[in-house]
Amino acid sequence: MTSSIEYMQHAIRLAKKGLYTTDPNPAVGCVVVKHNEIVGEGWHQVAGQAHAEVLALKQAGLAAQGAIVFVTLEPCCHTGKTPPCADALINAGVKKVVIAMKDPNPLVAGKGLKKLQDAGIVVETGLLETQARALNPGFIKRMEQGRPYVRIKLAMSLDGRTAMASGESKWISSEASRFDVQRLRAASSAILTGIETVLTDDPSMNVRISADELSLDVCDGPLRQPKRIVLDSKFRIPKAVKISSLDGECIVYTTMHVDNKDDYPFIIEDGCTQGSGQDARIDLSLLMQNLAEKEINLLHVEAGSVLCGALLKNGLVDEIIIYMAPHVMGDKAKGLFHLPELEMMKDRISLTINDVRMIGNDIRISAKPVHIN
């Protein structure tokens, strides 16, 4: 006999199918079970389209009456782009709903559970909650703390260098690692970099793999392009740069007042400023709040040591992914983080390593600063 844990594990596997296509919505999976058999299943496939519960109930049909439903996130109870999933479950006549985690969205946040219970449906919560939370770290961070989940991606040599003294950095990591980075970009809401990276490398900062390469079966056209964000305090960005000329939205944050904003091929934001005059800087905490208001869940950072160091120093980094390549670049090359204020061992920033694996000939390390909740 299949256990409740196995049914929820299947719902989590279904949810993972939507990781590249549901943003800014969370990825959700749902399984409808009757007489210990799966009679319907679904996952949220594309933002703005039917939710997981609705698709699973549609597949189950009349068999949904009296069934048990396993879903990775609390069913919604409000009308957005689609009707409430809690109503769909009630109307289908299910007898029990097992929910991995409550929805942190204030519009739901327990209200979906109560609606089901008020309709006489048995509700259980917390089954495989940790695994369910891991599906949507960005959505949860934005709902619970009002900022995106920030992930820094870095490539380094065996001796911890990210660029030569000249600034040259192509290519440190292998082709396999660069493909892996494309997967990270594709799952992100936005990609952040600094003006120095733009001026030095003229990067594209876009997704350059196909739906077929990601084994997606719900994406007919090109993949969704994450927003591209540039921090440019003094507004030095040229009009003709790759990051602003490709498909998708490009936003430049600056401390300068810019006339004729519509003349530029990107959106200009100048409201996240700390200080004034020549000392004005982009306030990273205000930036995060602004990005959350734009429904950015997962912020993927590919930037130089100064910006990466500033994010880390300000406690705004949730995860660091490092691709370590098997070569040596020497002591004149640049390091990962510019943190000149760290002078004593007591000042060091500790990390917890969550995962280490081989990607081609490189080693990929996933780590989390210990101060992050």
mmCIF file of all heavy atoms in Angstrom, residues 148-164:
data_model
loop_
_atom_site.group_PDB
_atom_site.id
_atom_site.type_symbol
_atom_site.label_atom_id
_atom_site.label_comp_id
_atom_site.label_asym_id
_atom_site.label_seq_id
_atom_site.Cartn_x
_atom_site.Cartn_y
_atom_site.Cartn_z
ATOM 1 N N PRO A 148 13.654 39.593 -2.065
ATOM 2 C CA PRO A 148 13.915 38.368 -2.813
ATOM 3 C C PRO A 148 14.924 37.473 -2.098
ATOM 4 O O PRO A 148 15.680 37.913 -1.224
ATOM 5 C CB PRO A 148 14.508 38.874 -4.144
ATOM 6 C CG PRO A 148 14.233 40.332 -4.186
ATOM 7 C CD PRO A 148 14.153 40.790 -2.772
ATOM 8 N N TYR A 149 14.937 36.216 -2.484
ATOM 9 C CA TYR A 149 15.993 35.283 -2.109
ATOM 10 C C TYR A 149 17.175 35.595 -3.019
ATOM 11 O O TYR A 149 17.050 35.608 -4.241
ATOM 12 C CB TYR A 149 15.497 33.858 -2.344
ATOM 13 C CG TYR A 149 16.455 32.745 -1.973
ATOM 14 C CD1 TYR A 149 16.388 32.149 -0.719
ATOM 15 C CD2 TYR A 149 17.380 32.270 -2.882
ATOM 16 C CE1 TYR A 149 17.235 31.096 -0.385
ATOM 17 C CE2 TYR A 149 18.236 31.227 -2.560
ATOM 18 C CZ TYR A 149 18.153 30.640 -1.310
ATOM 19 O OH TYR A 149 18.996 29.597 -0.993
ATOM 20 N N VAL A 150 18.338 35.877 -2.430
ATOM 21 C CA VAL A 150 19.502 36.332 -3.196
ATOM 22 C C VAL A 150 20.530 35.209 -3.303
ATOM 23 O O VAL A 150 21.022 34.711 -2.286
ATOM 24 C CB VAL A 150 20.133 37.572 -2.551
ATOM 25 C CG1 VAL A 150 21.384 38.002 -3.329
ATOM 26 C CG2 VAL A 150 19.119 38.720 -2.503
ATOM 27 N N ARG A 151 20.843 34.851 -4.517
ATOM 28 C CA ARG A 151 21.825 33.799 -4.790
ATOM 29 C C ARG A 151 22.958 34.383 -5.631
ATOM 30 O O ARG A 151 22.726 34.944 -6.706
ATOM 31 C CB ARG A 151 21.159 32.648 -5.553
ATOM 32 C CG ARG A 151 22.113 31.524 -5.941
ATOM 33 C CD ARG A 151 21.393 30.456 -6.721
ATOM 34 N NE ARG A 151 20.865 30.969 -7.979
ATOM 35 C CZ ARG A 151 19.789 30.481 -8.595
ATOM 36 N NH1 ARG A 151 19.102 29.505 -8.067
ATOM 37 N NH2 ARG A 151 19.387 31.000 -9.731
ATOM 38 N N ILE A 152 24.174 34.281 -5.117
ATOM 39 C CA ILE A 152 25.345 34.756 -5.852
ATOM 40 C C ILE A 152 26.008 33.578 -6.548
ATOM 41 O O ILE A 152 26.266 32.538 -5.939
ATOM 42 C CB ILE A 152 26.358 35.436 -4.908
ATOM 43 C CG1 ILE A 152 25.795 36.767 -4.392
ATOM 44 C CG2 ILE A 152 27.688 35.671 -5.598
ATOM 45 C CD1 ILE A 152 26.719 37.500 -3.451
ATOM 46 N N LYS A 153 26.286 33.749 -7.833
ATOM 47 C CA LYS A 153 27.020 32.739 -8.598
ATOM 48 C C LYS A 153 28.424 33.262 -8.878
ATOM 49 O O LYS A 153 28.597 34.374 -9.344
ATOM 50 C CB LYS A 153 26.300 32.438 -9.918
ATOM 51 C CG LYS A 153 26.900 31.267 -10.721
ATOM 52 C CD LYS A 153 28.151 31.611 -11.514
ATOM 53 C CE LYS A 153 27.922 32.629 -12.606
ATOM 54 N NZ LYS A 153 29.201 32.844 -13.407
ATOM 55 N N LEU A 154 29.411 32.444 -8.574
ATOM 56 C CA LEU A 154 30.800 32.820 -8.819
ATOM 57 C C LEU A 154 31.554 31.651 -9.446
ATOM 58 O O LEU A 154 31.263 30.487 -9.148
ATOM 59 C CB LEU A 154 31.496 33.207 -7.509
ATOM 60 C CG LEU A 154 30.999 34.487 -6.823
ATOM 61 C CD1 LEU A 154 31.418 34.494 -5.364
ATOM 62 C CD2 LEU A 154 31.517 35.720 -7.541
ATOM 63 N N ALA A 155 32.501 31.969 -10.311
ATOM 64 C CA ALA A 155 33.422 30.965 -10.847
ATOM 65 C C ALA A 155 34.815 31.333 -10.379
ATOM 66 O O ALA A 155 35.200 32.511 -10.431
ATOM 67 C CB ALA A 155 33.354 30.923 -12.370
ATOM 68 N N MET A 156 35.557 30.352 -9.909
ATOM 69 C CA MET A 156 36.886 30.664 -9.395
ATOM 70 C C MET A 156 37.875 29.562 -9.748
ATOM 71 O O MET A 156 37.510 28.429 -10.059
ATOM 72 C CB MET A 156 36.840 30.858 -7.880
ATOM 73 C CG MET A 156 36.683 29.586 -7.075
ATOM 74 S SD MET A 156 36.796 29.920 -5.295
ATOM 75 C CE MET A 156 36.904 28.230 -4.668
ATOM 76 N N SER A 157 39.142 29.936 -9.679
ATOM 77 C CA SER A 157 40.221 28.969 -9.863
ATOM 78 C C SER A 157 40.441 28.209 -8.554
ATOM 79 O O SER A 157 39.844 28.527 -7.519
ATOM 80 C CB SER A 157 41.501 29.703 -10.269
ATOM 81 O OG SER A 157 41.862 30.629 -9.258
ATOM 82 N N LEU A 158 41.311 27.232 -8.603
ATOM 83 C CA LEU A 158 41.599 26.439 -7.411
ATOM 84 C C LEU A 158 42.180 27.302 -6.292
ATOM 85 O O LEU A 158 42.010 26.990 -5.113
ATOM 86 C CB LEU A 158 42.574 25.308 -7.772
ATOM 87 C CG LEU A 158 42.717 24.163 -6.774
ATOM 88 C CD1 LEU A 158 41.396 23.452 -6.571
ATOM 89 C CD2 LEU A 158 43.783 23.174 -7.249
ATOM 90 N N ASP A 159 42.843 28.395 -6.659
ATOM 91 C CA ASP A 159 43.398 29.293 -5.642
ATOM 92 C C ASP A 159 42.467 30.471 -5.346
ATOM 93 O O ASP A 159 42.886 31.509 -4.841
ATOM 94 C CB ASP A 159 44.800 29.781 -6.026
ATOM 95 C CG ASP A 159 44.860 30.441 -7.398
ATOM 96 O OD1 ASP A 159 43.903 30.270 -8.180
ATOM 97 O OD2 ASP A 159 45.857 31.116 -7.688
ATOM 98 N N GLY A 160 41.184 30.323 -5.644
ATOM 99 C CA GLY A 160 40.178 31.279 -5.212
ATOM 100 C C GLY A 160 40.147 32.597 -5.940
ATOM 101 O O GLY A 160 39.782 33.634 -5.369
ATOM 102 N N ARG A 161 40.474 32.606 -7.240
ATOM 103 C CA ARG A 161 40.503 33.848 -8.013
ATOM 104 C C ARG A 161 39.393 33.844 -9.055
ATOM 105 O O ARG A 161 39.105 32.813 -9.678
ATOM 106 C CB ARG A 161 41.856 34.022 -8.686
ATOM 107 C CG ARG A 161 43.037 33.974 -7.710
ATOM 108 C CD ARG A 161 42.989 35.126 -6.728
ATOM 109 N NE ARG A 161 44.005 35.012 -5.683
ATOM 110 C CZ ARG A 161 44.271 35.965 -4.799
ATOM 111 N NH1 ARG A 161 43.604 37.104 -4.864
ATOM 112 N NH2 ARG A 161 45.183 35.786 -3.877
ATOM 113 N N THR A 162 38.786 35.022 -9.259
ATOM 114 C CA THR A 162 37.655 35.123 -10.184
ATOM 115 C C THR A 162 37.981 35.869 -11.470
ATOM 116 O O THR A 162 37.220 35.806 -12.430
ATOM 117 C CB THR A 162 36.478 35.842 -9.509
ATOM 118 O OG1 THR A 162 36.876 37.179 -9.171
ATOM 119 C CG2 THR A 162 36.055 35.118 -8.248
ATOM 120 N N ALA A 163 39.081 36.589 -11.484
ATOM 121 C CA ALA A 163 39.477 37.344 -12.678
ATOM 122 C C ALA A 163 40.945 37.689 -12.574
ATOM 123 O O ALA A 163 41.490 37.843 -11.470
ATOM 124 C CB ALA A 163 38.646 38.616 -12.823
ATOM 125 N N MET A 164 41.588 37.847 -13.715
ATOM 126 C CA MET A 164 42.973 38.293 -13.704
ATOM 127 C C MET A 164 43.031 39.765 -13.271
ATOM 128 O O MET A 164 42.008 40.457 -13.230
ATOM 129 C CB MET A 164 43.594 38.124 -15.094
ATOM 130 C CG MET A 164 43.536 36.682 -15.623
ATOM 131 S SD MET A 164 44.265 35.456 -14.515
ATOM 132 C CE MET A 164 46.003 35.894 -14.657
#
